Amino acid sequence: MSSAPRQMRLGLFLLSTGHHIAGWRHPGAQADAPVSIRHYAEMARLAEAARFDMLFLADNNCVTQTDWPAVRRTSRTNIFEPIALLSALSMVTERIGLVATGSTTYAEPYHTARSFGTLDHLSGGRAGWNIVTTSNANEAWNFGRDSHLAHADRYRRAAEFVEVTKGLWDSFADDAFERDAESGVYFDAAKLDVLNHRGEDFAVRGPLNLARPPQGHPVLVQAGGSEAGRDLAARLAEVIFSVSQTLPEAQAFYADIKARLTAAGRDAEAVKVLPGFFPVVGRTRTEAEDQMAELQKLLHPDVGLSLLSFLTGGFDFSKFDVDGPLPALPDTDVGKARLKVIADLAKRENLTIRQLYERIAVSRGHHMIVGSYSEVADRMQEWFEGRGADGFNVMPPTFPAGFRAFTELVVPELQRRGLFRTEYSGTTLREHLGLARPERLSRGTTALPEA
């Protein structure tokens, strides 16, 4: 066992103009950031200079909301395809991990294995796959379906999808490609497996037409917090992106996940739990509060109500007084964990609908702090040492200013306290996170006889 002190893992949740939904309106924002490769490259290099473990990109296969009066006021209808974007960023960075969201409901395992495997090769072993079952029912309309799959069906499909994808990454042994010009043999046929998978949701012959990725498998990230999501994480995930409002909530989730990992026969310490963390940072608390107040003035009520409706499964708030209490929310088949976080927040702090959407428009249910850099570092240290987190997926309110404040003020404070690295010690995302490279498993049959 290593005697090195435990250190935080940090991801940058890179969301175009920032995580405050009205951040694109801020005077210091770059309004065209969603489609500016120069913007993304600048943020990626800044995160790498701060020694972050990884960049994290969310994704949707649709315009997220169809409330046009509201959605026309946001910058989140205009996003690059994440694998293409991260492939470009792999060329302007050297160490930082590159994690993209990929749906198991609206994709196929072969395409997923090929695209993430390619990203791992292009980046020299820095790729990660954020496995989502897709909470947005609107995506169904873009894939020839009239309705979204039920929650249980999406998670059943996801489990098989991931196993097929891993099997495809293992098509070739690490040393299969001999490239022997003298003999004319490019690869050893005895070191190739054909998957020949036939299951409930997928029939995939294989093999993948790509050498095994440098990391063996790209790092598997998972972000579901429901019972089904936690079960999937315990079986497959290596990094878990969680949603918690309070330290007790975070500790309960952390303990539950680690217990499930142990029960599944996995090393609990090898799986990293990273809650979303929305920091508004100033040199003083007053400076941070002023920044937050300025952002909140930019939030249009249409946008706040629309986002709250979307995150609660399409609940119609128009019948209720916006300055009244949150009504009882029905159970929904979409975003179960997020819905509970939102309802618990409103109840715990006795928030009106308006106050709730003002909070949600900022952090979408993730933990928020507005304070000085030392207060932000204190909060992170409290959660980390209190076993509520192994690190954080940082969600700056704005780019570049909000993230630059975090790297210039908070990161040096965490380093001064010995909580975060000052230099990278490895080159791959697995090495940054302290994750083992998976052994290749033979899941099929040798495709070709030896010559």
Side-chain angles (χ1 to χ4, degrees):
M1 295 291 290
S2 173
S3 60
R6 182 169 168 258
Q7 288 194 319
M8 289 181 189
R9 313 298 178 180
L10 293 182
L12 170 62
F13 192 159
L14 184 50
L15 184 62
S16 61
T17 55
H19 285 268
H20 192 290
I21 201 165
W24 69 272
R25 301 179 64 192
H26 191 272
Q30 183 179 340
D32 70 343
V35 288
S36 169
I37 185 60
R38 290 180 180 176
H39 163 76
Y40 284 109
E42 180 187 356
M43 293 303 97
R45 287 191 287 252
L46 182 58
E48 186 168 75
R51 304 300 185 254
F52 270 57
D53 293 79
M54 61 188 181
L55 303 176
F56 178 96
L57 293 183
D59 191 37
N60 293 298
N61 287 303
C62 67
V63 173
T64 304
Q65 299 159 258
T66 53
D67 178 359
W68 302 120
V71 78
R72 69 190 178 94
R73 297 181 180 277
T74 77
S75 64
R76 296 178 186 172
T77 58
N78 193 18
I79 56 176
F80 281 141
E81 191 282 319
I83 293 292
L85 175 56
L86 290 181
S87 295
L89 295 182
S90 75
M91 300 294 99
V92 297
T93 57
E94 295 181 352
R95 296 289 191 91
I96 195 164
L98 305 167
V99 179
T101 293
S103 174
T104 58
T105 303
Y106 299 109
E108 291 291 326
Y110 197 94
H111 289 140
T112 297
R114 193 177 184 208
S115 59
F116 280 91
T118 297
L119 178 61
D120 207 47
H121 279 284
L122 290 176
S123 64
R126 295 187 279 140
W129 171 26
N130 178 42
I131 302 159
V132 300
T133 61
T134 301
S135 61
N136 193 337
N138 295 345
E139 294 193 18
W141 302 334
N142 294 331
F143 292 87
R145 299 180 186 176
D146 295 327
S147 61
H148 201 32
L149 286 179
H151 188 269
D153 293 337
R154 296 200 306 275
Y155 275 94
R156 184 204 68 244
R157 175 184 166 97
E160 184 180 347
F161 190 115
V162 175
E163 288 302 332
V164 173
T165 304
K166 290 164 63 178
L168 289 168
W169 284 328
D170 284 345
S171 293
F172 289 96
D174 290 314
D175 59 350
F177 288 89
E178 298 176 350
R179 305 180 182 91
D180 188 337
E182 184 175 347
S183 69
V185 174
Y186 196 78
F187 72 89
D188 184 345
K191 296 179 179 179
L192 167 64
D193 282 352
V194 177
L195 187 61
N196 284 321
H197 173 87
R198 189 167 293 275
E200 187 171 354
D201 286 284
F202 301 104
V204 181
R205 177 185 177 272
L208 187 66
N209 57 343
L210 183 69
R212 194 164 190 250
Q215 295 184 104
H217 303 160
V219 173
L220 300 180
V221 183
Q222 197 269 344
S226 66
E227 280 297 309
R230 295 182 193 208
D231 284 342
L232 183 68
R235 291 171 56 187
L236 302 170
E238 297 171 296
V239 176
I240 299 171
F241 179 24
S242 60
V243 182
S244 296
Q245 276 285 330
T246 68
L247 178 55
E249 285 178 8
Q251 289 170 325
F253 179 86
Y254 187 95
D256 179 64
I257 286 293
K258 299 292 185 174
R260 291 177 193 239
L261 290 164
T262 300
R266 299 182 64 198
D267 179 2
E269 293 302 314
V271 178
K272 310 305 178 186
V273 177
L274 307 184
F277 185 71
F278 180 100
V280 181
V281 183
R283 294 187 181 278
T284 65
R285 182 186 295 185
T286 299
E287 183 180 301
E289 289 172 344
D290 288 345
Q291 292 176 30
M292 186 64 182
E294 184 179 6
L295 283 167
Q296 291 294 66
K297 288 177 183 177
L298 302 175
L299 174 62
H300 194 282
D302 285 354
V303 175
L305 277 174
S306 178
L307 181 61
L308 184 57
S309 176
F310 172 72
L311 292 174
T312 54
F315 187 82
D316 182 6
F317 289 93
S318 64
K319 305 171 186 176
F320 301 93
D321 179 5
V322 73
D323 292 310
L326 184 73
L329 300 175
D331 189 24
T332 175
D333 201 38
V334 177
K336 290 178 178 290
R338 187 73 59 95
L339 179 64
K340 183 178 187 306
V341 168
I342 291 170
D344 288 349
L345 170 63
K347 182 178 180 181
R348 182 174 59 250
E349 300 190 19
N350 195 30
L351 301 178
T352 66
I353 293 173
R354 187 192 304 275
Q355 290 169 331
L356 181 60
Y357 80 59
E358 287 176 343
R359 289 283 295 275
I360 295 302
V362 175
S363 61
R364 300 189 308 285
H366 293 281
H367 183 70
M368 176 180 72
I369 180 171
V370 180
S372 69
Y373 68 93
S374 60
E375 289 174 318
V376 172
D378 287 344
R379 184 71 54 83
M380 296 175 76
Q381 183 170 1
E382 180 186 24
W383 280 45
F384 177 67
E385 293 182 345
R387 295 284 175 170
D390 292 310
F392 300 90
N393 214 8
V394 179
M395 303 164 56
T398 59
F399 289 108
F403 182 49
R404 193 172 295 279
F406 187 89
T407 61
E408 292 178 355
L409 298 174
V410 179
V411 169
E413 181 65 15
L414 294 173
Q415 292 170 332
R416 186 187 68 77
R417 300 182 189 190
L419 295 169
F420 187 61
R421 68 168 68 85
T422 56
E423 292 295 339
Y424 290 114
S425 58
T427 60
T428 71
L429 180 53
R430 288 188 174 276
E431 289 171 337
H432 298 341
L433 296 170
L435 300 174
R437 187 177 188 273
E439 295 293 326
R440 176 178 181 253
L441 299 179
S442 179
R443 295 177 172 89
T445 57
T446 300
L448 302 172
E450 293 192 39

